[in-house]
Amino acid sequence: MKLLVVAALAAQALAFSSGPASFVARPATSLGMIPKETRTESFFPFESSPSEESPTALGMVKKGPNPKAGDGSADFKQLLGIRGAGETDDIWKIRLQLTKPVTWVPLVWGVMCGAAASGNYHWIWNPFDPSDRNAILGLEDAAKGFVAMILAGPFLTGYTQTINDWYDRDIDAINEPNRPIPSGAISEAEVVAQIWVLLLGGLGTAYALDVWAGHDFPTVLALSIFGSFISYIYSAPPLKLKQDGWAGNFALGASYISLPWWCGQAVFGELDRPVYWVLPVLYSIAGLGIAIVNDFKSIEGDRAMGLNSLPVAFGVDGAKYICAGSVTLTQLGVAAYLYAIGEPTYASILLGLILPQVYFQATLLLPDPVKNDVKYQASSQPFLVFGILCTALCVGHHNWA
């Protein structure tokens, strides 16, 4: 677990800022620029309507230069699935790129927070608690946690990212023609097969975790099915939640925070109190604010394509205050709740983690959210994610009797 914490800290700001942005492809022009061609094969439910048909996945889109690929980090970026990636013929590297491993990190962190909130995660050797030094039990819990992280990261986040790229293939043909699907580096049949393998593999793993945890009701499987459905309607027509600023951004926040938290807590404990549901949802509202930050730089493309992002709907000035308010007020509410239940130490720690976020909002976000979006995310996000962990630890250690 310590190694995972270090790894998460190293990637957290990058993952939280690039994750939502990679979910939502931001077009700069009309899809009418792409020639239409009818395909002969279809893969339910991932088939396209006639108005969406294009030759992008057949490699017929002319690839442009990839200016970031020559900076020495192209191969690394390719494996992480971020912009500026190099090109490769290795099908397994391409498959990994489609799953965007950089976006797994927040989900893994969420599982860790859920495990902490359960109050029932056992260390192999706990230096702070002499009664928690059962190596066998600790090894079993470490294995459960690892499998839950594989479920939340490679399987279901991989599924989400792959299906998003599938439905954004025509837009990517305009904005990022070097991506695997529009470039023709991977065939349509291979993409659809990957979607099904990740989805079914994730659901199978979820059920295995339920059996392992001894659940009478398959809680982890139910959460996984719900999350997979949200991922589908986020990207796929006719609902395509990403087109609406409120629904799309909250779906992102819930996917990054609530669902992995509930998964981790269900594996090690119970979700039998309202607070176990309410606190992650509040942090998901903060996640909505995080997602708004990624929309500022795409406002012109969103407006041109008719996407009702919050910066489009309320303007940059209105959206930046919605962003700051959703991030700050929800955390202040959580801190007030922790104090009210008799946990002033945790409430004080959380308040101490909120103050730097307010400072970075005042100095970076509010003055110029378009120019400072990445810098704000990198500066502020570590304090937010530690605040989530602080809250989870409080929930796990609080005496609810």
Side-chain angles (χ1 to χ4, degrees), residues 135-215:
I136 301 300
L137 188 58
L139 287 170
E140 181 182 4
D141 279 4
K144 283 182 182 177
F146 178 76
V147 174
M149 292 172 187
I150 294 296
L151 166 65
F155 274 123
L156 295 187
T157 305
Y159 155 78
T160 297
Q161 297 290 4
T162 304
I163 197 173
N164 187 73
D165 269 23
W166 170 255
Y167 282 108
D168 281 347
R169 61 196 184 278
D170 291 341
I171 297 175
D172 286 343
I174 299 171
N175 290 340
E176 297 183 80
N178 290 286
R179 287 201 58 76
I181 297 176
S183 71
I186 185 170
S187 72
E188 293 187 354
E190 289 171 323
V191 175
V192 174
Q194 174 163 321
I195 291 171
W196 281 113
V197 167
L198 292 173
L199 175 60
L200 297 178
L203 297 182
T205 302
Y207 182 72
L209 280 168
D210 281 315
V211 173
W212 195 353
H215 292 162

Side-chain angles (χ1 to χ4, degrees), residues 45-91:
F46 309 116
E47 57 194 9
S48 302
S49 65
S51 64
E52 292 177 320
E53 299 296 344
S54 79
T56 55
L58 302 179
M60 296 176 65
V61 175
K62 183 177 179 181
K63 293 191 289 185
N66 191 356
K68 295 184 181 180
D71 65 357
S73 62
D75 291 341
F76 180 68
K77 290 178 178 179
Q78 190 274 328
L79 291 175
L80 291 180
I82 57 180
R83 291 188 179 185
E87 297 180 13
T88 179
D89 295 327
D90 188 326
I91 187 60

Side-chain angles (χ1 to χ4, degrees), residues 32-348:
M33 295 177 61
I34 304 177
K36 308 297 181 186
E37 176 177 292
T38 302
R39 290 192 298 270
T40 57
E41 73 266 28
S42 63
F43 304 86
F44 181 84
F46 309 116
E47 57 194 9
S48 302
S49 65
S51 64
E52 292 177 320
E53 299 296 344
S54 79
T56 55
L58 302 179
M60 296 176 65
V61 175
K62 183 177 179 181
K63 293 191 289 185
N66 191 356
K68 295 184 181 180
D71 65 357
S73 62
D75 291 341
F76 180 68
K77 290 178 178 179
Q78 190 274 328
L79 291 175
L80 291 180
I82 57 180
R83 291 188 179 185
E87 297 180 13
T88 179
D89 295 327
D90 188 326
I91 187 60
W92 294 106
K93 289 184 178 180
I94 293 170
R95 289 188 181 281
L96 183 64
Q97 181 181 0
L98 279 175
T99 68
K100 297 185 179 71
V102 71
T103 64
W104 303 350
V105 178
L107 284 295
V108 169
W109 185 269
V111 171
M112 292 170 57
C113 290
S118 73
N120 198 39
Y121 180 86
H122 299 89
W123 294 40
I124 297 174
W125 194 87
N126 189 339
F128 307 107
D129 185 359
S131 66
D132 185 18
R133 295 177 182 176
N134 186 325
I136 301 300
L137 188 58
L139 287 170
E140 181 182 4
D141 279 4
K144 283 182 182 177
F146 178 76
V147 174
M149 292 172 187
I150 294 296
L151 166 65
F155 274 123
L156 295 187
T157 305
Y159 155 78
T160 297
Q161 297 290 4
T162 304
I163 197 173
N164 187 73
D165 269 23
W166 170 255
Y167 282 108
D168 281 347
R169 61 196 184 278
D170 291 341
I171 297 175
D172 286 343
I174 299 171
N175 290 340
E176 297 183 80
N178 290 286
R179 287 201 58 76
I181 297 176
S183 71
I186 185 170
S187 72
E188 293 187 354
E190 289 171 323
V191 175
V192 174
Q194 174 163 321
I195 291 171
W196 281 113
V197 167
L198 292 173
L199 175 60
L200 297 178
L203 297 182
T205 302
Y207 182 72
L209 280 168
D210 281 315
V211 173
W212 195 353
H215 292 162
D216 294 327
F217 177 81
T219 308
V220 180
L221 177 60
L223 290 169
S224 299
I225 292 173
F226 176 73
S228 301
F229 174 72
I230 294 299
S231 297
Y232 178 77
I233 64 174
Y234 178 84
S235 298
L239 294 179
K240 206 162 190 175
L241 298 181
K242 66 163 67 179
Q243 294 179 335
D244 180 80
W246 291 111
N249 287 345
F250 184 75
L252 285 177
S255 297
Y256 274 136
I257 299 172
S258 292
L259 288 170
W261 175 318
W262 292 330
C263 172
Q265 185 161 355
V267 168
F268 296 100
E270 300 290 340
L271 294 167
D272 55 357
R273 292 178 179 273
V275 66
Y276 298 152
W277 299 92
V278 173
L279 289 179
V281 168
L282 288 176
Y283 274 113
S284 295
I285 296 174
L288 180 148
I290 298 171
I292 295 172
V293 178
N294 295 286
D295 291 336
F296 286 117
K297 60 179 175 292
S298 307
I299 186 170
E300 294 303 326
D302 289 349
R303 185 179 290 116
M305 288 301 298
L307 299 180
N308 194 34
S309 69
L310 295 182
V312 170
F314 294 93
V316 171
D317 287 340
K320 69 184 183 183
Y321 286 107
I322 295 174
C323 171
S326 63
V327 171
T328 303
L329 294 179
T330 51
Q331 293 183 86
L332 288 174
V334 172
Y337 172 75
L338 298 185
Y339 182 82
I341 64 173
E343 297 286 356
T345 300
Y346 284 105
S348 298

